[in-house]
Amino acid sequence: MNQTECIEAEAAVIDTGYNIVRVIQIICGITTLILILKVILSYRTKQVKLHKNLIVLVINVLLLDALFVLSFTSTDILNFYVNFTYKNSCDCFFQVWVVYLVRIPFYLYVAGSPLIHFAIMIERIIATIFVRIYENQGKLIAVASTIIVWLLTFTYGFYVYISSIEDSTFSHPMVYLTLTSIYNAHVLIYFHYFFLFLVICIASADYYLILRNQKIKSNFFSSITSYSLSQSYQAKQNILVMRIIFPLDFSYSFVFALFNILSSFIRSKRDDYGQLIYMRTYEAIILLLFIHAIIKLIIYDYFLRKQNDLNKNFIKNNKNVSSEFYFKSLNYAWK
């Protein structure tokens, strides 16, 4: 390594602004991990009245959040370790295998997160439109979705790996912990916009599902002959769940869109600002994803802890009407 590269590596490690971002990421990361554990504890200690399909898919969401957090938290801790232990500027480089180890999980999150949200949307569509199939298939829908999502996610991660090793930058210790190379930079941007389109579709579909379930629910009460207790119950459960999922998906779409817009802008200014400012700003923008993950997990935990109360209130508001139509439908069937 020449002296210029060593000075650049040292600057990336000791930069005050960058280290402030790293400290915030560590705090947010630890908070996120604590909340994930809290959600798991709430799930294990509370009687969860959600379909197994939805539970399996939410577990995947938590796993992806954990990968995302561990990727950046480990990176930040590694940077501080180098900061406190290096003796000369040429000690500030990172081995290529370390870069892959701590960064690949983030790329898995980038692909897996919108894909698993899309899978949840599909699960909700099936639960809304094909109620009998949904109830008879058990966890099959979630298991199939999980396999497909992770196959696509690992394929994306494999592409990032293959496309980066062709770059000569990855043939020696690196200054920055990034897997963006001259061979994949533009393609990764296109992937980001595809994922952005995906999450916008998810939010739109979620809103449609809320309206659809409300319509199904109202249709049950319009005619005694068309009333179905199981479909009525499923519609009510769908509405209750979607009241939680829709705000999260909508906020995820907004945050992901904002993240893509800001990151695309800073990418366009990369040559003007220099690599250090670009990396520092990019990782500051990633804090948006941390904040959303924290808010999402707080809502998950609240829903798990308060779901009995939410269910009671929801059922109470619909109990009289449902009971009346149910017994009327029985009387009609006995005639």
Side-chain angles (χ1 to χ4, degrees):
M1 299 298 167
N2 59 49
Q3 191 60 33
T4 302
E5 291 176 328
C6 291
I7 293 173
E8 183 183 4
E10 182 182 24
V13 169
I14 66 174
D15 182 78
T16 302
Y18 209 159
N19 284 331
I20 291 174
V21 172
R22 288 168 180 147
V23 169
I24 297 174
Q25 284 183 349
I26 291 174
I27 294 172
C28 290
I30 294 173
T31 303
T32 304
L33 290 175
I34 292 173
L35 286 171
I36 290 175
L37 294 175
K38 199 169 185 299
V39 168
I40 294 173
L41 182 62
S42 296
Y43 168 74
R44 293 180 63 87
T45 56
K46 303 292 181 181
Q47 186 179 0
V48 180
K49 297 180 180 178
L50 295 175
H51 198 280
K52 292 180 180 179
N53 279 313
L54 191 58
I55 293 174
V56 171
L57 293 174
V58 170
I59 290 173
N60 281 278
V61 173
L62 298 181
L63 179 58
L64 286 164
D65 284 343
L67 285 175
F68 164 64
V69 167
L70 290 173
S71 174
F72 279 93
T73 304
S74 59
T75 299
D76 296 330
I77 293 174
L78 181 60
N79 270 284
F80 280 117
Y81 173 78
V82 173
N83 192 353
F84 292 130
T85 59
Y86 82 95
K87 296 180 180 179
N88 62 72
S89 58
C90 291
D91 294 333
C92 297
F93 290 96
F94 299 97
Q95 296 298 320
V96 175
W97 69 269
V98 174
V99 178
Y100 281 112
L101 180 65
V102 299
R103 267 296 182 257
I104 281 291
F106 170 62
Y107 288 90
L108 296 180
Y109 168 83
V110 168
S113 186
L115 288 174
I116 200 65
H117 279 82
F118 185 80
I120 292 175
M121 181 201 74
I122 296 297
E123 184 266 350
R124 289 292 89 197
I125 290 176
I126 296 174
T128 300
I129 301 176
F130 307 103
V131 179
R132 291 185 179 179
I133 295 175
Y134 181 80
E135 291 297 333
N136 292 332
Q137 294 301 318
K139 295 186 292 185
L140 180 61
I141 296 171
V143 172
S145 299
T146 298
I147 293 172
I148 294 172
V149 165
W150 282 104
L151 281 175
L152 293 174
T153 299
F154 282 119
T155 301
Y156 178 80
F158 183 70
Y159 165 75
V160 172
Y161 170 75
I162 291 298
S163 60
S164 61
I165 59 175
E166 297 178 0
D167 193 331
S168 59
T169 304
F170 292 82
S171 62
H172 52 75
M174 301 175 63
V175 176
Y176 298 100
L177 291 152
T178 178
L179 297 181
T180 303
S181 71
I182 59 174
Y183 297 103
N184 63 23
H186 293 292
V187 177
L188 292 181
I189 291 176
Y190 296 144
F191 269 115
H192 272 279
Y193 284 120
F194 168 73
F195 295 140
L196 172 61
F197 171 75
L198 203 62
V199 295
I200 291 174
C201 291
I202 292 168
S204 302
D206 286 346
Y207 181 68
Y208 164 77
L209 286 173
I210 291 177
L211 299 179
R212 172 81 178 189
N213 279 289
Q214 289 175 339
K215 184 178 180 180
I216 292 173
K217 177 185 167 185
S218 63
N219 286 341
F220 285 146
F221 300 143
S222 63
S223 173
I224 296 175
T225 58
S226 64
Y227 183 81
S228 169
L229 182 62
S230 62
Q231 289 183 336
S232 176
Y233 174 80
Q234 187 61 55
K236 292 173 187 176
Q237 287 299 306
N238 288 342
I239 294 171
L240 180 61
V241 170
M242 291 307 299
R243 285 178 180 176
I244 302 297
I245 291 178
F246 174 69
L248 293 176
D249 278 349
F250 183 80
S251 63
Y252 177 72
S253 300
F254 175 78
V255 170
F256 201 79
L258 185 59
F259 167 73
N260 273 278
I261 292 170
L262 293 177
S263 60
S264 297
F265 172 77
I266 194 63
R267 283 178 190 274
S268 67
K269 299 294 183 179
R270 186 173 186 168
D271 294 334
D272 297 334
Y273 294 158
Q275 185 71 4
L276 175 58
I277 296 178
Y278 161 73
M279 288 296 299
R280 182 179 66 198
T281 308
Y282 179 76
E283 296 214 7
I285 294 171
I286 287 174
L287 289 172
L288 290 170
L289 301 179
F290 276 97
I291 294 171
H292 178 266
I294 291 172
I295 294 173
K296 173 182 66 181
L297 290 168
I298 290 173
I299 294 174
Y300 278 171
D301 182 61
Y302 174 81
F303 178 73
L304 289 173
R305 288 187 294 106
K306 298 293 185 179
Q307 68 157 326
N308 287 335
D309 295 335
L310 293 172
N311 273 300
K312 287 178 182 178
N313 292 334
F314 192 78
I315 293 172
K316 182 179 179 181
N317 294 333
N318 297 275
K319 181 178 180 181
N320 294 333
V321 179
S322 298
S323 300
E324 180 183 352
F325 268 79
Y326 175 62
F327 287 111
K328 282 184 178 180
S329 66
L330 286 179
N331 289 330
Y332 182 86
W334 289 337
K335 289 182 180 180

